[in-house]
Amino acid sequence: MTGRLAIRTVPVLQHDEDRAEDLDTDGEDHVAHETRYACLSRPWIPLAVKKPAGKAMQTMTLNDLWATARPRERRI
């Protein structure tokens, strides 16, 4: 039943005149609220990046990179 109700009511939902991000509550907006609550019940949370244990974050300067770079071979 919810599928038919959604097909019938979602296309004709109206925005609230005072708040554009909200729906006009005079209409039949139950399916829109159900869908919103269902989406918000399990929000996507990105996984945390794990840092290697025991190693501090090392910073490298441009001079450090130049010192460790191998010299290019000359091509003739």
Side-chain angles (χ1 to χ4, degrees):
M1 182 66 181
T2 304
R4 288 184 181 177
L5 185 63
I7 291 171
R8 183 174 55 86
T9 59
V10 170
V12 294
L13 290 173
Q14 296 292 316
H15 289 286
D16 190 356
E17 291 181 11
D18 298 327
R19 295 182 301 173
E21 71 277 358
D22 201 6
L23 294 174
D24 185 13
T25 57
D26 294 336
E28 211 174 342
D29 59 350
H30 304 299
V31 172
H33 289 298
E34 288 174 6
T35 305
R36 179 177 57 163
Y37 295 141
C39 292
L40 292 176
S41 69
R42 299 184 185 271
W44 179 76
I45 300 172
L47 298 175
V49 177
K50 294 183 181 180
K51 295 181 182 177
K55 292 185 178 180
M57 186 84 168
Q58 296 179 355
T59 58
M60 187 174 254
T61 65
L62 190 56
N63 289 333
D64 295 335
L65 286 173
W66 280 110
T68 59
R70 291 186 291 175
R72 289 186 178 178
E73 295 179 11
R74 289 184 115 180
R75 293 186 181 181
I76 300 178

